[in-house]
Amino acid sequence: MASRFLNGIERNSHFSDQLIKLIPKTDIHCHLDGSLRVETLVDLAKEQNISLPTYDVDELRKTVLKEFYTDLTDYLVPFQYTSAVLRNAKALERVAFEFAEDCYSEGVRYFEVRFAPHLCAVPEVLSTEDVILAVNKGLKRATDTFNGIDDDVHKGIAPEYKYGIIVCGMRFFDENFSPFFKNFCEIFKHENKKKMFGIASLQLVKLAVHIRDTMNVPIVALDIAGCEASFPAINHAEAFQYAHENHMNKTIHAGEAYGPESIFQAITSCYAERIGHGLNMFDTSFFHPETPVNDKQKYVDGIIRFIANRRICVEVCLTSNYQTAPKLRNNISAHPLKRMLEEKLSVCLNTDNRMVSRTTMCDEIRLAVDIFKFNKDELWELISNGFESSFMPGSYANKLEYLKKMKLFYNRIVDMCPVE
Ligand SMILES: [Zn+2]
Protein backbone atom coordinates (compact mmCIF):
# COMPACT_ATOMS: atom_id res chain seq x y z
CA MET A 1 0.00 0.00 0.00
CA ALA A 2 2.51 2.57 1.15
CA SER A 3 4.71 1.72 -1.80
CA ARG A 4 2.54 3.97 -3.99
CA PHE A 5 4.58 6.92 -2.69
CA LEU A 6 7.93 5.24 -2.99
CA ASN A 7 8.74 5.56 -6.68
CA GLY A 8 12.48 5.58 -6.97
CA ILE A 9 13.02 5.13 -3.23
CA GLU A 10 14.88 1.99 -2.30
CA ARG A 11 13.32 -0.45 0.17
CA ASN A 12 14.99 -0.54 3.58
CA SER A 13 16.18 -4.13 3.91
CA HIS A 14 16.50 -3.95 7.72
CA PHE A 15 12.74 -4.29 7.91
CA SER A 16 10.61 -7.06 6.46
CA ASP A 17 6.86 -6.42 6.31
CA GLN A 18 6.41 -9.21 8.85
CA LEU A 19 8.75 -7.50 11.31
CA ILE A 20 6.90 -4.21 10.93
CA LYS A 21 3.62 -5.97 11.61
CA LEU A 22 4.79 -7.80 14.71
CA ILE A 23 6.65 -5.03 16.54
CA PRO A 24 4.59 -3.18 19.15
CA LYS A 25 3.32 0.19 17.91
CA THR A 26 1.21 3.18 18.92
CA ASP A 27 -1.21 5.29 16.92
CA ILE A 28 -2.04 8.37 18.95
CA HIS A 29 -3.29 10.65 16.18
CA CYS A 30 -6.14 8.98 14.41
CA HIS A 31 -9.69 10.14 13.63
CA LEU A 32 -12.49 7.63 14.05
CA ASP A 33 -14.65 9.24 11.37
CA GLY A 34 -11.80 9.04 8.86
CA SER A 35 -11.00 5.44 9.68
CA LEU A 36 -14.05 3.33 8.89
CA ARG A 37 -13.75 0.22 6.76
CA VAL A 38 -15.05 1.17 3.30
CA GLU A 39 -17.39 -1.84 3.31
CA THR A 40 -18.83 -0.68 6.64
CA LEU A 41 -19.44 2.82 5.30
CA VAL A 42 -21.44 1.31 2.44
CA ASP A 43 -23.31 -1.06 4.78
CA LEU A 44 -24.27 1.68 7.21
CA ALA A 45 -25.35 4.05 4.44
CA LYS A 46 -27.62 1.36 2.97
CA GLU A 47 -29.04 0.48 6.40
CA GLN A 48 -29.83 4.10 7.21
CA ASN A 49 -30.89 5.22 3.72
CA ILE A 50 -28.06 7.70 3.51
CA SER A 51 -27.07 8.82 0.07
CA LEU A 52 -23.52 8.08 -1.13
CA PRO A 53 -22.16 9.02 -4.58
CA THR A 54 -21.93 5.26 -5.21
CA TYR A 55 -22.51 2.11 -3.16
CA ASP A 56 -19.78 0.24 -5.01
CA VAL A 57 -16.67 -0.11 -2.85
CA ASP A 58 -14.20 0.04 -5.76
CA GLU A 59 -15.98 3.00 -7.30
CA LEU A 60 -15.93 4.82 -3.94
CA ARG A 61 -12.20 4.23 -3.73
CA LYS A 62 -11.76 5.78 -7.16
CA THR A 63 -13.96 8.82 -6.77
CA VAL A 64 -14.14 9.76 -3.09
CA LEU A 65 -11.50 7.91 -1.08
CA LYS A 66 -8.65 8.74 -3.38
CA GLU A 67 -4.98 7.96 -3.47
CA PHE A 68 -4.25 11.64 -3.93
CA TYR A 69 -6.34 14.72 -3.13
CA THR A 70 -6.13 18.10 -4.81
CA ASP A 71 -6.02 19.90 -1.44
CA LEU A 72 -7.28 19.77 2.15
CA THR A 73 -10.82 20.70 1.05
CA ASP A 74 -10.91 17.75 -1.33
CA TYR A 75 -9.52 15.56 1.47
CA LEU A 76 -12.39 16.57 3.76
CA VAL A 77 -15.16 15.53 1.32
CA PRO A 78 -15.42 11.92 2.59
CA PHE A 79 -16.10 13.16 6.14
CA GLN A 80 -19.54 14.44 5.23
CA TYR A 81 -20.51 10.84 4.41
CA THR A 82 -18.85 9.24 7.40
CA SER A 83 -20.37 11.76 9.83
CA ALA A 84 -23.79 11.11 8.32
CA VAL A 85 -23.66 7.35 8.99
CA LEU A 86 -22.31 7.84 12.51
CA ARG A 87 -25.38 9.58 13.98
CA ASN A 88 -26.56 6.34 15.46
CA ALA A 89 -25.38 4.56 18.63
CA LYS A 90 -25.22 1.09 17.05
CA ALA A 91 -23.22 2.37 14.09
CA LEU A 92 -20.80 4.19 16.40
CA GLU A 93 -20.24 1.09 18.48
CA ARG A 94 -19.67 -1.05 15.38
CA VAL A 95 -17.22 1.40 13.84
CA ALA A 96 -15.34 1.79 17.14
CA PHE A 97 -15.11 -1.99 17.56
CA GLU A 98 -13.82 -2.48 14.02
CA PHE A 99 -11.38 0.40 14.41
CA ALA A 100 -9.83 -1.19 17.52
CA GLU A 101 -9.84 -4.59 15.84
CA ASP A 102 -7.94 -3.15 12.85
CA CYS A 103 -5.38 -1.40 15.08
CA TYR A 104 -4.71 -4.42 17.26
CA SER A 105 -4.53 -6.76 14.24
CA GLU A 106 -1.65 -4.76 12.82
CA GLY A 107 0.34 -4.80 16.07
CA VAL A 108 -0.76 -1.45 17.52
CA ARG A 109 -0.64 -2.09 21.27
CA TYR A 110 -1.86 1.31 22.39
CA PHE A 111 -3.94 3.85 20.48
CA GLU A 112 -5.70 7.10 21.16
CA VAL A 113 -8.64 7.63 18.87
CA ARG A 114 -10.21 11.04 18.41
CA PHE A 115 -13.52 12.33 17.12
CA ALA A 116 -15.83 15.34 17.41
CA PRO A 117 -18.91 14.10 19.32
CA HIS A 118 -20.87 17.20 18.25
CA LEU A 119 -20.71 16.02 14.62
CA CYS A 120 -22.57 12.83 15.58
CA ALA A 121 -25.04 14.04 18.22
CA VAL A 122 -28.66 14.63 17.21
CA PRO A 123 -30.86 16.80 19.46
CA GLU A 124 -33.66 14.81 21.16
CA VAL A 125 -32.37 11.57 19.59
CA LEU A 126 -28.71 10.95 20.40
CA SER A 127 -27.01 13.00 23.12
CA THR A 128 -23.34 13.95 23.02
CA GLU A 129 -22.87 11.77 26.08
CA ASP A 130 -24.44 8.77 24.33
CA VAL A 131 -22.13 9.30 21.34
CA ILE A 132 -19.06 9.04 23.58
CA LEU A 133 -20.44 6.07 25.51
CA ALA A 134 -21.30 4.16 22.31
CA VAL A 135 -17.75 4.63 20.99
CA ASN A 136 -16.27 3.52 24.29
CA LYS A 137 -18.47 0.43 24.34
CA GLY A 138 -17.10 -0.71 20.96
CA LEU A 139 -13.48 0.05 21.89
CA LYS A 140 -13.75 -1.75 25.22
CA ARG A 141 -15.34 -4.84 23.71
CA ALA A 142 -12.56 -5.14 21.11
CA THR A 143 -9.85 -4.51 23.71
CA ASP A 144 -11.23 -7.15 26.10
CA THR A 145 -11.49 -9.60 23.21
CA PHE A 146 -7.90 -9.09 22.07
CA ASN A 147 -6.46 -9.25 25.57
CA GLY A 148 -8.44 -12.45 26.06
CA ILE A 149 -7.05 -14.25 23.02
CA ASP A 150 -3.43 -13.05 22.89
CA ASP A 151 -1.11 -15.77 24.24
CA ASP A 152 1.83 -13.39 24.61
CA VAL A 153 -0.29 -11.14 26.84
CA HIS A 154 -1.29 -14.16 28.96
CA LYS A 155 2.33 -15.25 29.32
CA GLY A 156 3.30 -11.72 30.35
CA ILE A 157 5.70 -11.43 27.38
CA ALA A 158 3.70 -8.74 25.58
CA PRO A 159 2.06 -5.68 27.06
CA GLU A 160 -1.72 -5.53 27.13
CA TYR A 161 -3.77 -3.82 24.45
CA LYS A 162 -4.99 -0.45 25.70
CA TYR A 163 -6.61 2.72 24.40
CA GLY A 164 -7.57 6.28 25.21
CA ILE A 165 -10.21 8.60 23.77
CA ILE A 166 -9.56 12.18 22.65
CA VAL A 167 -12.54 14.47 22.12
CA CYS A 168 -12.28 17.15 19.44
CA GLY A 169 -13.90 20.56 19.44
CA MET A 170 -14.23 22.27 16.06
CA ARG A 171 -12.19 25.38 15.21
CA PHE A 172 -15.04 26.35 12.93
CA PHE A 173 -18.60 25.12 12.35
CA ASP A 174 -21.87 26.38 10.94
CA GLU A 175 -25.45 25.12 10.88
CA ASN A 176 -24.66 22.71 8.03
CA PHE A 177 -22.08 20.72 9.96
CA SER A 178 -24.53 18.50 11.86
CA PRO A 179 -27.98 18.47 13.46
CA PHE A 180 -26.32 19.32 16.79
CA PHE A 181 -24.55 22.35 15.32
CA LYS A 182 -27.74 23.47 13.54
CA ASN A 183 -29.46 23.61 16.88
CA PHE A 184 -26.45 25.17 18.57
CA CYS A 185 -26.13 27.93 15.95
CA GLU A 186 -29.80 28.74 16.36
CA ILE A 187 -29.49 29.06 20.15
CA PHE A 188 -26.38 31.25 19.85
CA LYS A 189 -27.43 33.19 16.75
CA HIS A 190 -26.83 36.56 18.43
CA GLU A 191 -23.46 35.54 19.83
CA ASN A 192 -20.14 36.63 18.40
CA LYS A 193 -19.01 33.74 16.16
CA LYS A 194 -15.56 33.33 17.71
CA LYS A 195 -17.12 33.18 21.15
CA MET A 196 -19.65 30.65 19.91
CA PHE A 197 -16.88 28.28 18.73
CA GLY A 198 -15.27 28.55 22.15
CA ILE A 199 -18.55 27.92 24.01
CA ALA A 200 -19.10 24.67 22.08
CA SER A 201 -15.62 23.43 23.03
CA LEU A 202 -16.10 24.45 26.66
CA GLN A 203 -19.38 22.53 26.85
CA LEU A 204 -17.67 19.53 25.29
CA VAL A 205 -14.75 19.45 27.71
CA LYS A 206 -17.04 19.89 30.73
CA LEU A 207 -19.05 16.89 29.58
CA ALA A 208 -15.86 14.92 28.86
CA VAL A 209 -14.49 15.54 32.35
CA HIS A 210 -17.84 14.51 33.86
CA ILE A 211 -17.97 11.27 31.84
CA ARG A 212 -14.34 10.48 32.64
CA ASP A 213 -14.83 11.06 36.35
CA THR A 214 -18.19 9.38 36.88
CA MET A 215 -18.37 6.59 34.30
CA ASN A 216 -14.84 5.24 34.15
CA VAL A 217 -14.41 6.08 30.46
CA PRO A 218 -10.76 6.66 29.43
CA ILE A 219 -11.18 10.12 27.90
CA VAL A 220 -7.61 11.33 28.01
CA ALA A 221 -7.46 14.65 26.14
CA LEU A 222 -9.07 17.58 24.39
CA ASP A 223 -8.13 18.56 20.83
CA ILE A 224 -9.47 21.04 18.30
CA ALA A 225 -9.74 20.08 14.65
CA GLY A 226 -10.90 21.73 11.44
CA CYS A 227 -9.94 24.83 9.48
CA GLU A 228 -6.75 26.20 11.03
CA ALA A 229 -5.78 29.28 9.03
CA SER A 230 -8.62 31.67 9.89
CA PHE A 231 -9.83 30.11 13.13
CA PRO A 232 -7.15 30.36 15.82
CA ALA A 233 -6.87 28.12 18.86
CA ILE A 234 -7.14 31.12 21.15
CA ASN A 235 -10.93 31.14 20.54
CA HIS A 236 -10.94 27.94 22.59
CA ALA A 237 -8.63 29.11 25.38
CA GLU A 238 -11.34 28.84 28.04
CA ALA A 239 -12.04 25.21 27.12
CA PHE A 240 -8.34 24.36 27.33
CA GLN A 241 -8.07 26.22 30.63
CA TYR A 242 -10.89 24.05 31.96
CA ALA A 243 -9.16 20.91 30.69
CA HIS A 244 -5.91 22.05 32.29
CA GLU A 245 -7.54 22.71 35.66
CA ASN A 246 -9.23 19.32 35.56
CA HIS A 247 -6.13 17.28 34.76
CA MET A 248 -7.21 16.50 31.24
CA ASN A 249 -4.44 16.48 28.64
CA LYS A 250 -4.29 18.76 25.63
CA THR A 251 -3.21 18.09 22.07
CA ILE A 252 -3.93 20.51 19.23
CA HIS A 253 -3.87 20.24 15.45
CA ALA A 254 -1.41 23.02 14.64
CA GLY A 255 1.07 23.83 11.90
CA GLU A 256 -0.81 21.59 9.48
CA ALA A 257 -2.46 24.20 7.25
CA TYR A 258 -0.88 27.21 8.97
CA GLY A 259 2.49 28.08 10.40
CA PRO A 260 4.57 28.64 13.55
CA GLU A 261 2.16 31.21 15.03
CA SER A 262 -0.50 28.56 15.25
CA ILE A 263 1.85 26.27 17.18
CA PHE A 264 2.85 29.17 19.43
CA GLN A 265 -0.78 29.78 20.34
CA ALA A 266 -1.43 26.11 20.97
CA ILE A 267 1.43 25.81 23.42
CA THR A 268 1.18 29.20 25.13
CA SER A 269 -2.56 30.00 25.25
CA CYS A 270 -3.94 26.45 25.31
CA TYR A 271 -1.26 24.43 27.15
CA ALA A 272 -0.86 21.89 24.33
CA GLU A 273 1.31 18.97 25.44
CA ARG A 274 1.37 17.49 21.96
CA ILE A 275 1.06 19.03 18.51
CA GLY A 276 -0.94 17.39 15.71
CA HIS A 277 1.14 17.42 12.50
CA GLY A 278 3.40 20.45 13.07
CA LEU A 279 4.24 20.17 9.38
CA ASN A 280 5.00 23.87 8.88
CA MET A 281 6.86 24.47 12.13
CA PHE A 282 10.09 25.53 10.40
CA ASP A 283 8.37 27.56 7.70
CA THR A 284 8.70 31.34 8.02
CA SER A 285 6.44 32.05 5.01
CA PHE A 286 3.16 31.48 6.87
CA PHE A 287 3.12 34.54 9.14
CA HIS A 288 0.04 36.70 9.35
CA PRO A 289 0.86 40.19 8.02
CA GLU A 290 -0.31 41.80 11.26
CA THR A 291 1.77 39.64 13.56
CA PRO A 292 4.34 41.86 15.29
CA VAL A 293 7.35 39.65 14.62
CA ASN A 294 10.49 41.32 13.30
CA ASP A 295 12.80 38.38 13.19
CA LYS A 296 10.77 35.39 12.00
CA GLN A 297 13.68 32.98 12.16
CA LYS A 298 14.35 33.89 15.78
CA TYR A 299 10.66 33.36 16.55
CA VAL A 300 10.73 29.90 14.95
CA ASP A 301 13.97 29.00 16.75
CA GLY A 302 12.35 29.99 20.04
CA ILE A 303 9.34 27.77 19.44
CA ILE A 304 11.49 24.81 18.43
CA ARG A 305 13.65 25.22 21.53
CA PHE A 306 10.55 25.39 23.73
CA ILE A 307 8.98 22.30 22.14
CA ALA A 308 12.25 20.38 22.45
CA ASN A 309 12.88 21.32 26.07
CA ARG A 310 9.35 20.55 27.20
CA ARG A 311 9.30 17.28 25.23
CA ILE A 312 6.10 18.39 23.49
CA CYS A 313 5.55 15.52 21.10
CA VAL A 314 4.88 16.13 17.40
CA GLU A 315 2.29 13.70 16.04
CA VAL A 316 3.55 13.20 12.48
CA CYS A 317 1.20 11.73 9.84
CA LEU A 318 3.28 11.19 6.69
CA THR A 319 0.66 9.89 4.25
CA SER A 320 -1.95 12.43 5.21
CA ASN A 321 0.56 15.29 4.89
CA TYR A 322 1.71 14.01 1.54
CA GLN A 323 -1.86 13.87 0.27
CA THR A 324 -2.82 17.39 1.33
CA ALA A 325 0.29 19.60 1.53
CA PRO A 326 1.22 21.23 -1.79
CA LYS A 327 4.85 21.54 -0.77
CA LEU A 328 5.22 17.76 -0.55
CA ARG A 329 3.58 17.06 -3.88
CA ASN A 330 5.65 14.49 -5.73
CA ASN A 331 8.35 14.70 -3.11
CA ILE A 332 7.53 13.03 0.17
CA SER A 333 11.23 13.05 1.08
CA ALA A 334 10.82 16.80 1.61
CA HIS A 335 8.79 16.10 4.76
CA PRO A 336 10.42 17.81 7.76
CA LEU A 337 10.46 14.62 9.87
CA LYS A 338 14.22 14.30 9.43
CA ARG A 339 14.75 17.91 10.45
CA MET A 340 12.52 17.42 13.52
CA LEU A 341 14.70 14.49 14.56
CA GLU A 342 17.90 16.46 13.92
CA GLU A 343 16.51 19.14 16.23
CA LYS A 344 16.00 16.33 18.78
CA LEU A 345 12.26 16.88 19.02
CA SER A 346 10.02 14.16 20.37
CA VAL A 347 8.26 12.81 17.26
CA CYS A 348 5.98 9.84 16.72
CA LEU A 349 4.34 8.29 13.65
CA ASN A 350 0.55 8.09 13.19
CA THR A 351 -2.10 7.32 10.59
CA ASP A 352 -4.48 10.34 10.91
CA ASN A 353 -7.27 8.77 8.79
CA ARG A 354 -7.00 5.12 7.91
CA MET A 355 -9.78 5.02 5.34
CA VAL A 356 -9.50 8.51 3.87
CA SER A 357 -5.70 8.26 3.59
CA ARG A 358 -5.82 4.54 2.74
CA THR A 359 -3.16 3.75 5.27
CA THR A 360 -2.33 1.62 8.29
CA MET A 361 0.27 1.95 11.03
CA CYS A 362 2.37 -0.67 9.20
CA ASP A 363 2.20 1.48 6.06
CA GLU A 364 3.33 4.57 7.97
CA ILE A 365 6.32 2.74 9.41
CA ARG A 366 7.20 1.23 6.02
CA LEU A 367 7.15 4.73 4.51
CA ALA A 368 9.29 6.23 7.28
CA VAL A 369 11.96 3.53 7.29
CA ASP A 370 12.20 3.44 3.49
CA ILE A 371 12.32 7.20 2.96
CA PHE A 372 14.54 8.15 5.88
CA LYS A 373 16.57 4.91 6.07
CA PHE A 374 16.10 4.44 9.80
CA ASN A 375 17.76 1.52 11.53
CA LYS A 376 16.12 -0.52 14.30
CA ASP A 377 17.32 1.71 17.13
CA GLU A 378 16.11 4.82 15.32
CA LEU A 379 12.73 3.22 14.70
CA TRP A 380 12.49 2.25 18.37
CA GLU A 381 13.08 5.90 19.26
CA LEU A 382 10.05 6.92 17.17
CA ILE A 383 7.92 4.11 18.58
CA SER A 384 8.92 4.74 22.18
CA ASN A 385 8.16 8.45 21.74
CA GLY A 386 4.58 7.42 20.94
CA PHE A 387 4.34 5.40 24.15
CA GLU A 388 6.17 7.94 26.32
CA SER A 389 4.14 10.92 25.22
CA SER A 390 0.86 9.04 25.21
CA PHE A 391 -1.84 10.14 27.63
CA MET A 392 -2.24 6.58 28.86
CA PRO A 393 -4.65 6.35 31.79
CA GLY A 394 -3.23 5.14 35.09
CA SER A 395 -0.15 6.10 37.08
CA TYR A 396 3.16 7.25 35.64
CA ALA A 397 4.85 4.27 37.29
CA ASN A 398 2.49 1.94 35.42
CA LYS A 399 3.22 3.73 32.18
CA LEU A 400 6.97 3.27 32.68
CA GLU A 401 6.44 -0.38 33.48
CA TYR A 402 4.39 -0.72 30.27
CA LEU A 403 7.11 0.99 28.25
CA LYS A 404 9.76 -1.32 29.71
CA LYS A 405 7.71 -4.34 28.71
CA MET A 406 7.23 -2.83 25.27
CA LYS A 407 11.00 -2.42 24.78
CA LEU A 408 11.66 -6.05 25.77
CA PHE A 409 8.92 -7.20 23.40
CA TYR A 410 10.33 -5.04 20.58
CA ASN A 411 13.81 -6.53 21.02
CA ARG A 412 12.36 -10.03 21.15
CA ILE A 413 10.51 -9.52 17.85
CA VAL A 414 13.55 -7.94 16.20
CA ASP A 415 15.72 -10.92 17.26
CA MET A 416 13.12 -13.41 16.05
CA CYS A 417 12.46 -11.91 12.61
CA PRO A 418 15.15 -12.32 9.97
CA VAL A 419 16.03 -9.32 7.83
CA GLU A 420 15.02 -9.43 4.16
ZN1 LIG B 1 -5.76 14.91 12.38
Side-chain angles (χ1 to χ4, degrees):
M1 283 287 286
S3 58
R4 69 191 193 271
F5 302 136
L6 293 172
N7 281 344
I9 295 174
E10 209 179 303
R11 195 172 159 92
N12 184 334
S13 60
H14 291 298
F15 300 94
S16 65
D17 288 341
Q18 192 203 8
L19 173 62
I20 289 177
K21 187 171 178 219
L22 292 177
I23 51 174
K25 298 174 279 293
T26 59
D27 190 1
I28 56 175
H29 186 126
C30 189
H31 298 258
L32 185 67
D33 55 345
S35 302
L36 285 72
R37 294 175 188 164
V38 189
E39 295 77 8
T40 303
L41 170 63
V42 172
D43 260 13
L44 293 174
K46 283 183 184 165
E47 260 174 48
Q48 301 175 42
N49 285 323
I50 286 163
S51 162
L52 293 182
T54 166
Y55 295 87
D56 182 276
V57 168
D58 292 331
E59 207 46 44
L60 259 184
R61 284 207 175 98
K62 268 188 223 150
T63 54
V64 182
L65 308 166
K66 303 177 196 170
E67 288 212 31
F68 296 97
Y69 295 87
T70 42
D71 51 27
L72 194 57
T73 313
D74 192 27
Y75 186 79
L76 295 177
V77 169
F79 291 90
Q80 70 194 57
Y81 304 115
T82 58
S83 296
V85 303
L86 291 177
R87 292 184 186 126
N88 170 302
K90 256 181 83 181
L92 282 162
E93 189 191 335
R94 172 178 171 182
V95 165
F97 178 85
E98 291 176 355
F99 172 87
E101 197 173 48
D102 291 347
C103 287
Y104 296 150
S105 301
E106 66 196 50
V108 170
R109 291 274 156 173
Y110 177 78
F111 66 77
E112 284 166 11
V113 65
R114 60 187 77 193
F115 57 101
H118 289 161
L119 289 177
C120 302
V122 182
E124 313 283 329
V125 178
L126 182 67
S127 69
T128 312
E129 179 175 321
D130 288 341
V131 169
I132 295 172
L133 294 179
V135 169
N136 186 54
K137 204 169 162 191
L139 299 177
K140 186 171 183 321
R141 187 158 58 86
T143 306
D144 290 345
T145 306
F146 269 76
N147 281 324
I149 58 173
D150 189 312
D151 273 352
D152 288 340
V153 170
H154 285 284
K155 288 182 203 148
I157 300 168
E160 284 189 331
Y161 297 97
K162 288 186 181 191
Y163 68 94
I165 293 172
I166 297 174
V167 290
C168 299
M170 299 301 293
R171 283 177 180 263
F172 165 81
F173 57 81
D174 64 23
E175 64 279 8
N176 301 312
F177 269 46
S178 73
F180 174 91
F181 282 128
K182 188 173 192 314
N183 200 35
F184 196 86
C185 290
E186 176 59 27
I187 294 168
F188 289 94
K189 66 183 169 194
H190 300 300
E191 187 56 271
N192 167 296
K193 283 272 181 293
K194 288 177 183 173
K195 262 195 169 167
M196 184 180 78
F197 302 144
I199 293 169
S201 295
L202 182 60
Q203 291 308 309
L204 176 66
V205 70
K206 285 187 172 179
L207 175 67
V209 167
H210 169 75
I211 293 176
R212 178 197 66 183
D213 292 348
T214 61
M215 297 177 206
N216 199 25
V217 173
I219 303 176
V220 295
L222 173 67
D223 171 32
I224 42 168
C227 187
E228 184 184 356
S230 313
F231 302 97
I234 201 160
N235 293 342
H236 306 263
E238 211 182 328
F240 283 100
Q241 183 70 38
Y242 188 87
H244 198 54
E245 287 168 5
N246 285 276
H247 313 291
M248 182 162 281
N249 299 286
K250 286 80 53 188
T251 175
I252 297 184
H253 277 81
E256 180 187 14
Y258 205 57
E261 285 167 276
S262 179
I263 296 172
F264 181 80
Q265 248 186 32
I267 54 183
T268 55
S269 304
C270 302
Y271 308 100
E273 297 146 84
R274 294 197 321 234
I275 294 293
H277 297 285
L279 178 68
N280 302 317
M281 64 168 57
F282 302 109
D283 199 328
T284 52
S285 66
F286 271 94
F287 280 83
H288 193 279
E290 286 168 23
T291 302
V293 173
N294 294 328
D295 188 338
K296 291 172 184 163
Q297 194 54 55
K298 200 172 159 194
Y299 182 93
V300 167
D301 292 346
I303 291 177
I304 301 302
R305 191 165 47 242
F306 186 88
I307 291 175
N309 271 313
R310 303 292 159 103
R311 307 317 293 151
I312 292 173
C313 183
V314 187
E315 306 159 354
V316 165
C317 310
L318 289 174
T319 301
S320 165
N321 291 161
Y322 185 48
Q323 289 174 315
T324 59
K327 67 179 178 186
L328 299 183
R329 194 63 36 94
N330 301 322
N331 186 13
I332 194 166
S333 310
H335 194 286
L337 171 61
K338 190 90 178 174
R339 169 97 191 266
M340 291 172 185
L341 293 172
E342 283 164 6
E343 299 281 352
K344 304 297 176 200
L345 302 186
S346 169
V347 180
C348 65
L349 300 171
N350 307 277
T351 56
D352 205 13
N353 294 291
R354 286 157 178 263
M355 179 182 75
V356 177
S357 279
R358 292 199 192 186
T359 191
T360 65
M361 217 34 243
C362 293
D363 287 342
E364 293 304 310
I365 288 184
R366 179 87 260 161
L367 265 180
V369 299
D370 286 356
I371 297 167
F372 301 105
K373 302 288 171 270
F374 295 131
N375 62 33
K376 283 164 190 166
D377 291 337
E378 288 164 333
L379 179 61
W380 169 248
E381 193 186 322
L382 287 167
I383 289 178
S384 64
N385 285 342
F387 284 112
E388 268 173 33
S389 51
S390 77
F391 301 139
M392 187 180 286
S395 72
Y396 184 66
N398 281 344
K399 185 170 154 180
L400 285 188
E401 198 51 43
Y402 190 83
L403 184 62
K404 210 166 109 189
K405 217 172 196 181
M406 199 67 66
K407 169 80 169 149
L408 291 172
F409 190 59
Y410 180 86
N411 288 341
R412 186 185 164 91
I413 302 288
V414 166
D415 290 344
M416 265 168 42
C417 283
V419 292
E420 281 186 335

